[in-house]
Amino acid sequence: MKTWQGNLDASGLKFGIVVSRFNEFITAKLLEGALDCLRRHGADQNKIEVAWVPGAWEIPAVATRWAAARRFDAVICLGAVIRGDTPHWEYISRQVTQGISAAGLNNNLPVILGVITPENLEQAIERAGAKSGNKGFQAALAAVEMADLFRKMAEKK
Ligand code: INI
């Protein structure tokens, strides 16, 4: 039996991170977590690129562009749509998550969801590194594993 699995080995891999500026005090923490994770797992600083967009709504556009261009081994999407902030919370969250998913599936590339959709600011702070870990770190970890899995799958047909 053959088992496929990605290792947490980011060496030689290229990562694109799309991060939204809306709620920047939260998203900057998610970005810090993601960069910390990539470095700790052996990523080369020169092989990481970060694109800032105005809000979470704009993330799928860049994620799709980057995925289609095959510029990276994985694209990590970071944002914070906080329920208390907007009556459109459900609509924005759904569209953003669907757009991020489509960017990956339509381009056969790992495109990772690191957009948090908390009920309130307190939950947002918890997910940005206070209580329940840093969701940016966790998203980057998934990106490393998936990118390594895709690398292995491409090598061994
Ligand atoms: N963008 C976010 O990233 N998070 C939010 O909580 C948010 N709220 O609350 O509205 C938000 N809105 C902006 C949106 O993402 C777009 O940038 C804007 O609508 C322009 O297209």
Side-chain angles (χ1 to χ4, degrees), residues 20-108:
S20 50
R21 209 175 293 111
F22 204 102
N23 294 321
E24 190 175 343
F25 60 106
I26 298 294
T27 62
K29 292 276 175 214
L30 298 177
L31 178 60
E32 257 177 50
L35 291 172
D36 182 39
C37 174
L38 294 181
R39 282 190 210 108
R40 281 169 189 254
H41 292 90
D44 179 346
Q45 184 76 12
N46 299 321
K47 291 187 173 173
I48 304 171
E49 295 180 25
V50 177
W52 284 91
V53 295
W57 187 260
E58 284 71 37
I59 291 174
V62 175
T64 302
R65 189 186 172 100
W66 267 356
R70 314 211 69 76
R71 187 176 175 80
F72 302 101
D73 296 294
V75 175
I76 302 162
C77 301
L78 305 175
V81 188
I82 303 175
R83 185 165 216 162
D85 281 357
T86 172
H88 309 306
W89 177 81
E90 243 164 87
Y91 188 63
I92 293 184
S93 305
R94 190 178 308 122
Q95 287 299 117
V96 170
T97 49
Q98 282 177 358
I100 291 170
S101 168
L105 297 178
N106 294 340
N107 293 291
N108 192 23

Side-chain angles (χ1 to χ4, degrees), residues 95-130:
Q95 287 299 117
V96 170
T97 49
Q98 282 177 358
I100 291 170
S101 168
L105 297 178
N106 294 340
N107 293 291
N108 192 23
L109 194 91
V111 176
I112 305 298
L113 179 67
V115 175
I116 59 170
T117 54
E119 293 288 330
N120 50 46
L121 190 57
E122 193 187 359
Q123 269 188 9
I125 293 167
E126 283 175 12
R127 293 176 195 178

